[in-house]
Amino acid sequence: MSLKVYNSLTRQKEVFQSITPGHVGLYVCGPTVSGESHLGHARPYITFDVLYRYLNHLGYQVRYVRNITDAGHFEEEGRVAEDKVSSKAILEKLEPMELVQKYTNRFHWAMLQFNNIEPSIEPTATGHIVEQINMIEQIIADGYAYVVNGSVYFDVNKYHKDFAAKGQPYGILSGRNLEEQLDTTRDLEGQDEKRNKADFALWKQAPPQHIMRWKSPWGEGFPGWHIECSAMATKYLGKQFDIHGGGMDLQFPHHECEIAQSTVCNHAMPARYWMHNNMITINGKKMGKSYNNVIKLSELFSGNHPLLTQPFHPMTIRFFILQSHYRSTLDFSNEALQGSERAFKRLWEAYQQIPQIQIVTNTAAQPELDAQCKQLAEVMDEYMNDDLNTAKVIANMFELVPIINGLRNKQLPLDAISAQTWNIVTSQLKKFIEDIFGLKWEQAGGDKIEGVLQLLVQIRQSAKQKKDFQTSDTIRKELAALGIQLKDEKDGTTSWSMD
């Protein structure tokens, strides 16, 4: 079965076919590093990390570009636009690039905690001012932008009239009607310098007090938010590339504006497939400053937030996100995260028992169970190929957990399923849990703690063989007091569980 992805542009699932066979160009909008990353950043970057991993698994050579917005992300409030980086730098009494470095480092740290693979290229907006100016000059030359008081605006109405006839109107991605946009756009100070309310800034004139500024043909200023991604995507992925990803909140205006700019410059729709993850809510409410429910990632990991009753490990967050399809709304709550914490622990405890299970025959003693296990494992690929349905893959994993535990605890005979089926099950679990989903076990402190536990088990085993039952019992009792239960079987102590 071929990989199918939901294309936001066509509003349907489509078989994925890359422009260049065997190669994929993937662009994902990165963070604006004017502050610390929050819970809303977790979902897109984990989602597209899984896509990156899966495309690699399918044999594609992927160039994954994820930018850093370190200038120019502003809300257009008229002539004087507020650059978020510049404004925050003043508040924190830091140089703008000092602030950018501080929060870029924190973003990278958070992505590392989530076990996200680094992108192939991570360009910055400030590192590509020349490319943005060149693109703006071309848009002006083609008649789709105009200069007013040192600022440059994209002429949305002209673009819409010209390209609607070609089947690519402004609003093609978001489905928004331009006339409705003009009727509902707020009256903002300084809007009179635009020809139309819907026009957006490609370049903004910098007022005297503005810190971040660059020379341009139109005077000193700074770039608009949208042009940054168009310039960087074009430079590193070409005039047209395979996949553009991001959160659903970026469909309009950001991605809509990217399409318009890039189409004028490159004479082609920038990406063939547009993929968007759905939004995050917290206790049923949209996350936002007005609700006082924005949770920074560091607060999530430490539990230091009024809405949290405990810290949550990054792997718990990753697992929780993958339990839902990326296009469905995801609601965070303490109860839901605690449930995911328990579920992930149960899955991993079963997974770590696999090396200790030795299937003894190629002929299944329970053919129905054998067929069930094989089906549960093999269909995982089909689910992933169906628009990355991680939720269904995880559901199948949990169907296999009691079977694994039954084999390990001898409640099922070791010939209940065939060696061939067991190999399929174990290889599929390894492939999805570790390689594609990027999950790893660090809840108890990582491999070092696991190594210490293994050493204590060996010491206890040795003590029992020497009939030193006092030492053996002391180790068991002390570990139990710490919430670690040893599991003794006739072959000795081979595993443990944690409360």
Side-chain angles (χ1 to χ4, degrees), residues 136-156:
I136 295 169
E137 287 182 316
Q138 183 179 340
I139 295 171
I140 293 173
D142 289 345
Y144 291 95
Y146 54 93
V147 183
V148 182
N149 299 322
S151 294
V152 184
Y153 294 99
F154 188 90
D155 191 334
V156 170

Side-chain angles (χ1 to χ4, degrees), residues 268-497:
M269 171 70 67
R272 294 177 66 183
Y273 304 89
W274 293 77
M275 297 179 67
H276 296 91
N277 62 275
N278 211 325
M279 305 304 295
I280 284 175
T281 57
I282 299 179
N283 296 316
K285 289 185 177 180
K286 180 182 177 181
M287 187 174 68
K289 292 180 181 179
S290 59
Y291 294 110
N292 195 30
N293 65 354
V294 175
I295 304 177
K296 298 174 183 176
L297 293 179
S298 60
E299 294 172 334
L300 195 62
F301 302 157
S302 67
N304 186 25
H305 190 279
L307 295 178
L308 300 174
T309 59
Q310 67 175 77
F312 290 100
H313 194 279
M315 284 298 104
T316 296
I317 306 303
R318 188 178 183 97
F319 182 74
F320 177 68
I321 287 172
L322 297 180
Q323 279 185 291
S324 297
H325 191 273
Y326 76 92
R327 287 193 292 111
S328 64
T329 303
L330 184 60
D331 187 56
F332 273 73
S333 67
N334 274 290
E335 294 74 16
L337 289 171
Q338 287 166 349
S340 283
E341 189 175 58
R342 291 190 296 269
F344 181 43
K345 177 184 175 184
R346 180 167 174 256
L347 174 63
W348 197 273
E349 285 181 347
Y351 179 58
Q352 72 177 0
Q353 301 303 317
I354 286 175
Q356 301 171 41
I357 300 172
Q358 301 298 321
I359 301 299
V360 298
T361 180
N362 289 322
T363 304
Q366 298 185 27
E368 289 186 5
L369 181 64
D370 186 80
Q372 178 191 0
C373 290
K374 186 178 181 182
Q375 168 68 12
L376 287 169
E378 290 183 334
V379 78
M380 291 179 186
D381 294 289
E382 183 177 327
Y383 292 154
M384 274 302 283
N385 282 331
D386 185 15
D387 195 31
L388 308 181
N389 202 325
T390 59
K392 284 191 174 182
V393 174
I394 290 176
N396 274 27
M397 290 178 183
F398 279 104
E399 291 285 332
L400 291 166
V401 164
I403 298 169
I404 294 170
N405 290 337
L407 292 168
R408 180 68 190 89
N409 299 329
K410 308 297 193 322
Q411 294 172 344
L412 287 171
L414 291 176
D415 63 350
I417 63 175
S418 67
Q420 180 187 25
T421 293
W422 182 244
N423 288 337
I424 294 171
V425 168
T426 56
S427 64
Q428 287 288 86
L429 289 176
K430 165 67 170 61
K431 178 176 78 177
F432 281 101
I433 291 176
E434 296 190 53
D435 301 340
I436 296 171
F437 289 179
L439 296 166
K440 58 182 181 179
W441 185 253
E442 291 185 342
Q443 308 292 74
D447 295 338
K448 291 182 180 179
I449 295 299
E450 188 164 330
V452 170
L453 288 173
Q454 287 280 18
L455 178 61
L456 287 172
V457 167
Q458 292 172 12
I459 293 172
R460 184 167 178 267
Q461 286 283 87
S462 178
K464 289 177 73 174
Q465 290 171 1
K466 296 175 181 177
K467 300 190 183 302
D468 182 2
F469 298 113
Q470 182 177 356
T471 299
S472 173
D473 291 342
T474 298
I475 292 173
R476 169 182 278 281
K477 289 177 182 178
E478 291 298 325
L479 288 176
L482 295 172
I484 301 170
Q485 306 296 327
L486 298 181
K487 297 179 181 180
D488 286 332
E489 299 178 4
K490 64 179 182 179
D491 298 328
T493 304
T494 56
S495 61
W496 57 83
S497 63

Side-chain angles (χ1 to χ4, degrees), residues 239-258:
K239 295 182 177 181
Q240 187 176 55
F241 53 95
D242 297 296
I243 303 172
H244 196 311
M248 190 174 289
D249 56 319
L250 296 180
Q251 276 192 353
F252 186 89
H254 186 49
H255 291 165
E256 201 74 75
C257 295
E258 275 191 68

Side-chain angles (χ1 to χ4, degrees), residues 140-195:
I140 293 173
D142 289 345
Y144 291 95
Y146 54 93
V147 183
V148 182
N149 299 322
S151 294
V152 184
Y153 294 99
F154 188 90
D155 191 334
V156 170
N157 196 45
K158 176 174 173 52
Y159 172 86
H160 181 70
K161 287 180 178 178
D162 291 352
F163 283 85
K166 302 175 184 179
Q168 194 173 312
Y170 185 79
I172 188 173
L173 180 66
S174 62
R176 298 195 181 201
N177 180 282
L178 182 58
E179 286 70 27
E180 291 176 358
Q181 291 176 43
L182 293 174
D183 289 340
T184 58
T185 301
R186 292 180 298 159
D187 287 321
L188 300 172
E189 181 184 352
Q191 284 278 8
D192 55 343
E193 71 178 19
K194 295 183 182 182
R195 292 178 182 171

